[in-house]
């Protein structure tokens, strides 16, 4: 068969290295030799001898998910082979985490990660019950983390002189050296009159980076993630 569909742009080639790599803008390939973890339902294709098993979050994780709708529903992928992961045709990116690094990320943006990484669902300090990301996943250890983002993300530097204020429905993640708190950008009187729709933001202070996606999560979309 011939045609543009069968050009080298779309044809999958054998994996050059083990582990995680970006297949294209919308998918991540993982050459598995042992175990890795991924978002439940994110596998779109695989070849080789692989097994997929749902992984529980533990009692604490289930309670947090029940309270907030947030969480990290995972599956373990074991064996030898190649698997491809994607989510709703969102853009895919890879972060390398080294010993000493700590990265906080919203569960809706996690696609897959190395089993060598450790994650814990934690309360976002200062967010309170009104924060859009009350519980986020905190990653440590050494390995690679695959993320999805609706659109191309903005990576905004944060410095002591320039704190950054982000919409809680748009934030993807941030480096752990940053301090978080809620910031109200409207007066009570303005909110009563209808306001601008941007009443409360997450304020990040310190030295580091915050990642923001160029769209907000609607209530319907948030429930799907």
């Amino acid at each position: 068969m011939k045609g543009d569909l069968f050009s080298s742009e779309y044809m999958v080639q054998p994996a050059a290295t083990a582990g995680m790599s970006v297949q294209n803008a919308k998918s991540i390939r993982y050459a598995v030799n042992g175990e890795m973890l991924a978002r439940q339902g994110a596998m779109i294709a695989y070849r080789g001898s692989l097994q997929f098993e749902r992984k529980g979050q533990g009692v604490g994780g289930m309670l947090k998910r029940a309270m907030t709708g947030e969480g990290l529903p995972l599956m373990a992928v074991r064996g030898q082979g190649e698997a491809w992961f994607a989510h709703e045709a969102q853009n895919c990116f890879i972060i390398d985490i080294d010993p000493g690094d700590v990265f906080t990320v919203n569960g809706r943006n996690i696609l897959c990660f190395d089993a060598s990484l450790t994650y814990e669902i934690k309360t976002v300090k200062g967010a309170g019950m009104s924060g859009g990301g009350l519980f986020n996943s905190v990653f440590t250890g050494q390995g690679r983390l695959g993320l999805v983002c609706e659109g191309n993300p903005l990576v905004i530097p944060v410095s002591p002189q320039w704190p950054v204020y982000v919409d809680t429905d748009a934030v993807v993640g941030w480096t752990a050296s940053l301090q978080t708190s809620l910031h109200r950008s409207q007066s009570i009187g303005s909110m009563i009159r209808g306001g601008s729709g941007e009443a409360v933001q997450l304020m990040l202070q310190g030295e580091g980076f915050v990642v923001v996606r160029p769209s907000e999560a609607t209530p319907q979309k948030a429930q799907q993630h």
Side-chain angles (χ1 to χ4, degrees):
M1 298 181 70
K2 297 180 180 179
D4 292 344
L5 178 62
F6 299 97
S7 69
S8 59
E9 180 181 358
Y10 305 113
M11 188 68 67
V12 169
Q13 304 299 325
T17 59
M20 187 186 308
S21 60
V22 173
Q23 179 67 56
N24 57 37
K26 307 295 184 181
S27 65
I28 285 178
R29 169 165 60 182
Y30 201 110
V32 185
N33 183 18
E35 178 178 288
M36 56 84 62
L37 295 111
R39 178 195 197 102
Q40 287 181 18
M43 187 274 292
I44 56 172
Y46 80 93
R47 59 187 178 189
S49 179
L50 296 176
Q51 293 183 325
F52 300 83
E53 180 182 333
R54 182 173 180 174
K55 185 175 176 66
Q57 300 179 49
V59 175
M62 287 188 289
L63 286 175
K64 291 175 183 177
R65 184 172 177 79
M67 288 174 58
T68 67
E70 298 278 347
L72 183 55
L74 293 175
M75 60 181 178
V77 184
R78 301 185 179 95
Q80 291 186 321
E82 292 176 289
W84 287 265
F85 301 95
H87 182 66
E88 296 182 350
Q90 294 186 22
N91 292 345
C92 295
F93 304 89
I94 293 176
I95 294 177
D96 289 290
I97 297 177
D98 294 319
D101 291 342
V102 182
F103 188 70
T104 297
V105 62
N106 195 303
R108 67 175 173 241
N109 297 104
I110 295 168
L111 183 64
C112 56
F113 57 94
D114 291 339
S116 57
L117 291 176
T118 299
Y119 82 94
E120 185 178 359
I121 301 175
K122 289 188 176 182
T123 305
V124 177
K125 291 182 179 179
M129 286 302 295
S130 60
L134 177 62
F135 293 103
N136 274 8
S137 298
V138 180
F139 282 84
T140 56
Q142 184 169 22
R144 309 194 88 189
L145 169 63
L147 300 179
V148 290
C149 179
E150 192 171 351
N152 288 324
L154 307 175
V155 180
I156 306 174
V158 183
S159 67
Q161 297 79 21
W162 291 97
V164 176
Y165 306 84
V166 299
D167 189 297
T168 55
D169 288 327
V171 65
V172 174
W174 60 89
T175 50
S177 55
L178 298 177
Q179 295 83 50
T180 58
S181 60
L182 278 189
H183 173 76
R184 191 178 301 279
S185 58
Q186 289 185 32
S187 66
I188 298 298
S190 175
M191 293 175 64
I192 292 175
R193 292 190 295 271
S196 66
E198 306 291 344
V200 179
Q201 297 84 38
L202 186 68
M203 180 171 69
L204 298 109
Q205 297 173 290
E207 194 82 38
F209 299 91
V210 58
V211 182
V212 183
R213 66 180 188 165
S215 65
E216 297 180 356
T218 63
Q220 292 81 5
K221 274 228 160 189
Q223 291 173 8
Q224 295 171 5
H225 289 264

